[in-house]
Structure formats: C-alpha cells, structure tokens
Amino acid sequence: MRSLADDEDVYASFDLFKYPWRLNGFRLCYLLRRCYAQGNPSTLYIKGAEYFYRRNMYIEGLDLMKRAADAGFERASYTYAMTSKLWDDDGDHFRGFSRDYVAKIGLLVRSSAGLWNWDHNDYFHKRRHVFISTVAPIFYSCPCSPLLEGHWALWDIDNRKAEDMCNRCFWIKEVGLFLRDFKASTGHPNFETWR
C-alpha cells in the first residue's frame, strides 16, 4: 500500500472531484501538494479557477486552466473556453464542442458540489451585470423560438426558450448559465501551502 502511495502516477491521475474531501490539515495539504507537483489536471483546474475568479491573478489562473484543459480535463476545457469568451470575447475555444456536449459538461461544472462557493471577485460581478444589461436582451428579443412563460431575467434563462433556438441564443444561454451558477472558490487551504 505504501508503494502505491509513493507512485507519482497515482498523484498525476487522481481526480480530486471524485474524492470525498474529508481529510483536513496536514493530510489534505500533503495530497494537494503531491498532486500539484505531478501536474494533476484537476488540481491545476481548481487552482486556476480560484486564481482567476477569486484572487485577481488573471494570467496565472488562465494559464493553469489552459494547462488542465490541454491535459484533457473536461471541466477545465469548458471553464477555459467560457472564461476566454467572457474576458477576451474569444469563442474559438468552443469550436468542436457540440451543443449536447456543452450542455452536459456545463451542467457538470455549474453544479459541482463539495466545498465550492460563491466567493467571486469584483470583475466577475461586473461581467455578469454587463451581460444582463447588454447581451441578455438579445436572447429575449430574438424571434428564433417562442418565449416560454417566465420573467425576463438571468435567473430563469434556462427555461425561457425551447431547444430549437438559434445558435446565437444557445450560446447566450450557456454564458448566462455560467455567470449565474459558476462557483469559483473551493475553500481549500491557501495555495501557497501546497508547495
């Protein structure tokens, strides 16, 4: 058992989202430190999301999320693409993503349980307000699909149109859901203790 715990491949491939997060103190820091040292994609993603969306370390956070996405970590691929779209208006990262894939992985990212919470930086809140005031009205005024009952707001954007909406409305809806439901802070120990 000890030799398994010392195997670097175990830490490199360990998915922190499938881990029950019941360890505390030294054992949790040790696990996070070992995973991060091995370039574990889930650790890179967690650290990147928190750096970008909570600690105002945009370049470092985006770089960590990109490294995790390049390693094939689906949550990171979605979050990196969404972040690039929101902050650089670069939607190229969504090329190759089908609507079904985006809906499935988006739901997974936005509904992550565990220690994730709503502690976002001011820049995230500003982006959300800009989106609500400038982009969301396009969704509600587009005649591509009839509007279903509900109030004009970001909070019920997922239930406002049928599945036959146009491409533009689909992506507006996905960005709206991300801004509404994404949780950026994990509550993990300070990242500097991971090293």
Side-chain angles (χ1 to χ4, degrees), residues 85-135:
K85 176 66 180 153
L86 286 169
W87 273 264
D88 296 332
D89 200 25
D90 180 6
D92 289 343
H93 300 287
F94 283 113
R95 267 190 275 143
F97 288 9
S98 69
R99 279 186 175 198
D100 290 337
Y101 174 79
V102 169
K104 180 187 97 171
I105 196 67
L107 182 62
L108 179 69
V109 168
R110 294 187 310 267
S111 64
S112 292
L115 296 175
W116 291 84
N117 62 55
W118 297 101
D119 191 15
H120 298 99
N121 59 21
D122 290 337
Y123 198 61
F124 181 86
H125 293 292
K126 287 177 189 172
R127 284 291 184 182
R128 184 181 0 209
H129 293 300
V130 167
F131 178 86
I132 290 170
S133 62
T134 61
V135 180

Side-chain angles (χ1 to χ4, degrees), residues 36-53:
Y36 182 73
Q38 296 305 315
N40 178 292
S42 60
T43 309
L44 296 173
Y45 169 67
I46 290 169
K47 193 170 187 175
E50 194 155 322
Y51 271 12
F52 191 93
Y53 287 105

Side-chain angles (χ1 to χ4, degrees), residues 30-96:
Y30 178 78
L31 173 68
L32 295 172
R33 194 170 36 247
R34 291 289 301 262
C35 289
Y36 182 73
Q38 296 305 315
N40 178 292
S42 60
T43 309
L44 296 173
Y45 169 67
I46 290 169
K47 193 170 187 175
E50 194 155 322
Y51 271 12
F52 191 93
Y53 287 105
R54 184 166 179 240
R55 298 179 183 252
N56 301 325
M57 299 170 70
Y58 303 113
I59 295 169
E60 298 90 340
L62 201 57
D63 181 55
L64 288 167
M65 282 189 280
K66 182 169 181 1
R67 285 176 50 200
D70 290 345
F73 194 62
E74 286 185 321
R75 292 172 194 258
S77 297
Y78 173 86
T79 306
Y80 178 74
M82 196 60 73
T83 302
S84 297
K85 176 66 180 153
L86 286 169
W87 273 264
D88 296 332
D89 200 25
D90 180 6
D92 289 343
H93 300 287
F94 283 113
R95 267 190 275 143

Side-chain angles (χ1 to χ4, degrees), residues 11-39:
Y11 293 100
S13 61
F14 190 75
D15 187 351
L16 294 171
F17 286 90
K18 295 180 180 171
Y19 180 70
W21 292 113
R22 302 223 195 293
L23 291 177
N24 55 19
F26 173 76
R27 290 181 294 178
L28 179 59
C29 287
Y30 178 78
L31 173 68
L32 295 172
R33 194 170 36 247
R34 291 289 301 262
C35 289
Y36 182 73
Q38 296 305 315

